[in-house]
Amino acid sequence: MAASKKAVLGPLVGAVDQGTSSTRFLVFNSKTAELLSHHQVEIKQEFPREGWVEQDPKEILHSVYECIEKTCEKLGQLNIDISNIKAIGVSNQRETTVVWDRLTGEPLYNAVVWLDLRTQSTVESLSKRIPGNNNFVKSKTGLPLSTYFSAVKLRWLLDNVRKVQKAVEEKRALFGTIDSWLIWSLTGGVNGGVHCTDVTNASRTMLFNIHSLEWDKQLCEFFGIPMEILPNVRSSSEIYGLMKISHSLKAGALEGVPISGCLGDQSAALVGQMCFQNGQAKNTYGTGCFLLCNTGHKCVFSDHGLLTTVAYKLGRDKPVYYALEGSVAIAGAVIRWLRDNLGIIKTSEEIEKLAKEVGTSYGCYFVPAFSGLYAPYWEPSARGIICGLTQFTNKCHIAFAALEAVCFQTREILDAMNRDCGIPLSHLQVDGGMTSNKILMQLQADILYIPVVKPSMPETTALGAAMAAGAAEGVGVWSLEPEDLSAVTMERFEPQINAEESEIRYSTWKKAVMKSMGWVTTQSPESGDPSIFCSLPLGFFIVSSMVMLIGARYISGIP
């Protein structure tokens, strides 16, 4: 029997989407932006001490290999010729810090994840060295001094991990965010791997001058970072190197395919949502929640707790675009916490069913400040609380309150964005895994009191990376000209409650946020000191005990 004929779809583009919770590889048709196939693998997070969050860089790399291989197999089953994949883009969780040995290719420590809090005492001591009238760190980077960004994580590794210290002394160490680790590994690793990053990821390290678009000598000296371990900074859309297939990867047809797009995940989503005009904004619901507004070629500095960051630079000779960003640490992560820590759901999808059963939090408010509060507060002393509990409260109300918490946090950063930009958004474009939850989307419209608009194809982060890769000079299979961009069908959620009710719920949430602050007063997460518990008010234990009691009752099926 003759072999079946392969489908001809024109040039295809692949995208690695390496997030905090999972890794995916997706393949798009460059002419229609249609998603043809994908594969996803969940990534483990390790919590070795209170406030510490780590991941295994090798597990992350192997998950990329697995996703590429499985997606190529699925394309084969669909009779799609994978030799039509003309380019690969990379999108990644930002700030997460990796140091590895350039001679062996081995990581020298686990990846220190963006959510990690161990560097709080480092931040406090560094902040004392910044003159009150000259915050050169913020003016050069657009970022507040925080545990969130890579420079302090790298400083901790240099101070505390002997293998890292020794490798730096012997000129063997390479530093990078996840994009750098993946691109170096996928382009050959110890056999000529390309050590680079793009401007969007570099702008999240606190070592990068967002005006000159270079590593900054003064910042590197301030943080004590040797500049020779830093990756080369490139644009978000150019050929960095060619795929060299590892022995771990059977999908040999991708050998020699250029890796030509690289964007931090939130910048990738901005591109994937086609927010190319000044004033266009999107909100991504992933592990955290990130609202970005394109500010064009101008750096806009916030007076209301937002970050100034590089949005994208789509080519070596193309102009740089900037964005204002509101960052929320815990969004989808609160659902994972309800699943993995409290056990009140077995799968993340169950949260919608529980919330639907009650349709209200019944006065229960959840502030998931597990890693302190990010925008607009930047309050590292905050910790998670659940308040407004009564004997009537059950796991359904807590599930509803968790979804509301994501929406209230978005409202806070949207309010800050509106004050900074001066022109309120008339609607909110959304994307990310959580947007499949219709209750969440309706709640978001109710709490913002503006329409929420969701693309029918929610994989906008991967799409953005694919667009950057396909549009790169030397690839040229994806046009970013406005007239060539595919029209996207949208689902729209209109507010269904009155404005007064929306405001009452929001003001009560704000009271709960105030109560979450100041829990940690003496703890240094770097020491992992159990005396943290001595600094917590009695209310923490009462709330925690009630939460555990409720969780235990419902796990056991006790009414």
Side-chain angles (χ1 to χ4, degrees):
M1 185 176 167
S4 57
K5 196 175 176 186
K6 297 281 185 187
V8 179
L9 293 169
L12 312 180
V13 180
V16 173
D17 180 6
Q18 204 300 298
T20 316
S21 304
S22 69
T23 298
R24 289 176 299 170
F25 184 67
L26 306 92
V27 174
F28 296 90
N29 182 329
S30 67
K31 299 306 176 194
T32 64
E34 178 191 0
L35 174 61
L36 300 176
S37 188
H38 75 284
H39 188 76
Q40 179 169 346
V41 173
E42 192 166 303
I43 298 292
K44 288 194 206 83
Q45 292 179 38
E46 298 174 26
F47 307 97
R49 295 191 193 180
E50 171 70 24
W52 293 29
V53 189
E54 296 178 1
Q55 290 178 326
D56 179 354
K58 290 179 82 171
E59 182 196 345
I60 289 172
L61 180 60
H62 290 148
S63 72
V64 171
Y65 289 145
E66 182 181 343
C67 288
I68 291 174
E69 189 176 312
K70 297 288 188 192
T71 303
C72 288
E73 284 176 10
K74 290 176 183 178
L75 289 169
Q77 289 161 10
L78 294 168
N79 221 22
I80 295 170
D81 189 347
I82 60 174
S83 68
N84 278 330
I85 297 175
K86 302 303 182 188
I88 292 170
V90 174
S91 162
N92 57 286
Q93 53 170 310
R94 303 169 302 170
E95 301 96 18
T96 296
T97 299
V98 187
V99 180
W100 67 96
D101 188 318
R102 67 180 178 83
L103 300 180
T104 66
E106 290 294 311
L108 297 166
Y109 191 79
N110 271 347
V112 182
V113 175
W114 57 278
L115 286 164
D116 188 280
L117 289 176
R118 76 187 68 188
T119 53
Q120 185 53 41
S121 65
T122 304
V123 167
E124 287 164 7
S125 61
L126 285 168
S127 64
K128 290 170 186 165
R129 292 171 42 204
I130 298 176
N133 60 350
N134 178 24
N135 188 341
F136 64 91
V137 173
K138 187 164 187 190
S139 64
K140 288 185 174 203
T141 67
L143 311 173
L145 193 56
S146 165
T147 60
Y148 181 17
F149 307 108
S150 311
V152 288
K153 302 178 194 300
L154 182 50
R155 182 68 259 155
W156 185 92
L157 291 168
L158 291 166
D159 288 339
N160 293 279
V161 181
R162 181 58 195 144
K163 280 168 76 175
V164 172
Q165 295 162 355
K166 195 164 185 290
V168 169
E169 289 161 12
E170 295 173 2
K171 312 289 187 196
R172 292 182 286 110
L174 296 178
F175 153 78
T177 42
I178 294 295
D179 56 304
S180 299
W181 165 242
L182 293 180
I183 291 171
W184 184 83
S185 301
L186 293 172
T187 55
V190 296
N191 299 310
V194 178
H195 186 216
C196 69
T197 188
D198 90 299
V199 288
T200 68
N201 280 295
S203 75
R204 312 298 292 192
T205 61
M206 244 176 358
L207 300 170
F208 185 71
N209 188 313
I210 61 172
H211 310 286
S212 66
L213 303 182
E214 296 172 324
W215 298 121
D216 190 282
K217 191 167 184 289
Q218 184 188 13
L219 291 170
C220 289
E221 285 172 355
F222 177 72
F223 290 105
I225 306 300
M227 294 184 78
E228 62 269 17
I229 72 173
L230 303 178
N232 292 319
V233 182
R234 313 275 284 272
S235 78
S236 309
S237 177
E238 62 180 271
I239 296 174
Y240 313 112
L242 306 181
M243 284 281 284
K244 287 188 183 170
I245 301 304
S246 152
H247 62 85
S248 313
L249 188 60
K250 295 173 194 153
L254 298 189
E255 178 86 37
V257 174
I259 298 176
S260 52
C262 179
L263 290 151
D265 51 8
Q266 302 315 317
S267 290
L270 195 73
V271 171
Q273 285 265 31
M274 300 174 205
C275 295
F276 294 127
Q277 302 301 314
N278 190 345
Q280 287 186 305
K282 67 86 206 172
N283 196 39
T284 299
Y285 300 76
T287 298
C289 210
F290 302 91
L291 178 61
L292 267 72
C293 180
N294 188 330
T295 62
H297 304 308
K298 190 170 81 171
C299 278
V300 175
F301 283 85
S302 172
D303 295 320
H304 301 97
L306 303 181
L307 310 178
T308 304
T309 198
V310 175
Y312 52 82
K313 185 178 188 292
L314 294 173
R316 271 180 294 196
D317 302 320
K318 296 290 172 65
V320 64
Y321 282 75
Y322 295 95
L324 271 176
E325 175 176 328
S327 317
V328 169
I330 303 294
V334 75
I335 313 305
R336 191 166 174 164
W337 182 80
L338 290 174
R339 184 193 73 186
D340 297 347
N341 292 43
L342 287 195
I344 69 172
I345 52 174
K346 288 191 175 68
T347 67
S348 297
E349 292 70 33
E350 278 181 50
I351 192 88
E352 185 171 8
K353 184 178 165 211
L354 284 185
K356 194 173 184 178
E357 279 182 35
V358 286
T360 174
S361 65
Y362 202 78
C364 171
Y365 287 82
F366 191 162
V367 183
F370 301 155
S371 294
L373 289 168
Y374 284 14
Y377 301 101
W378 298 104
E379 183 48 73
S381 74
R383 286 296 178 273
I385 64 166
I386 302 176
C387 53
L389 298 172
T390 69
Q391 283 183 306
F392 182 72
T393 307
N394 64 35
K395 64 180 180 179
C396 299
H397 299 116
I398 290 174
F400 196 95
L403 294 181
E404 275 193 319
V406 175
C407 301
F408 287 131
Q409 291 179 105
T410 298
R411 166 78 187 265
E412 289 188 307
I413 55 177
L414 185 74
D415 283 357
M417 190 82 71
N418 287 339
R419 288 196 293 271
D420 278 324
C421 295
I423 305 168
L425 290 178
S426 60
H427 66 275
L428 183 65
Q429 288 178 231
V430 301
D431 57 77
M434 292 186 80
T435 60
S436 61
N437 186 321
K438 290 187 183 298
I439 286 186
L440 177 73
M441 293 295 94
Q442 186 56 56
L443 272 173
Q444 189 66 88
D446 290 345
I447 287 165
L448 296 180
Y449 213 66
I450 58 172
V452 168
V453 180
K454 170 194 157 191
S456 56
M457 199 290 291
E459 304 294 353
T460 52
T461 301
L463 177 61
M467 289 165 67
E473 187 180 343
V475 177
V477 298
W478 204 309
S479 171
L480 299 184
E481 295 302 319
E483 63 272 17
D484 295 328
L485 293 173
S486 304
V488 179
T489 54
M490 297 284 192
E491 186 175 2
R492 193 175 175 95
F493 296 84
E494 299 283 349
Q496 290 183 353
I497 63 172
N498 63 51
E500 186 182 1
E501 184 187 344
S502 180
E503 289 304 314
I504 290 168
R505 281 158 69 173
Y506 183 49
S507 63
T508 311
W509 155 264
K510 299 278 268 187
K511 275 167 61 180
V513 170
M514 292 301 114
K515 292 180 190 300
S516 77
M517 295 185 190
W519 289 107
V520 181
T521 53
T522 59
Q523 176 234 5
S524 163
E526 285 165 277
S527 65
D529 185 354
S531 67
I532 175 176
F533 297 108
C534 303
S535 69
L536 296 176
L538 179 62
F540 171 84
F541 296 101
I542 294 169
V543 172
S544 299
S545 301
M546 290 185 75
V547 170
M548 286 189 280
L549 176 62
I550 290 165
R553 285 173 64 194
Y554 280 89
I555 294 163
S556 311
I558 300 169

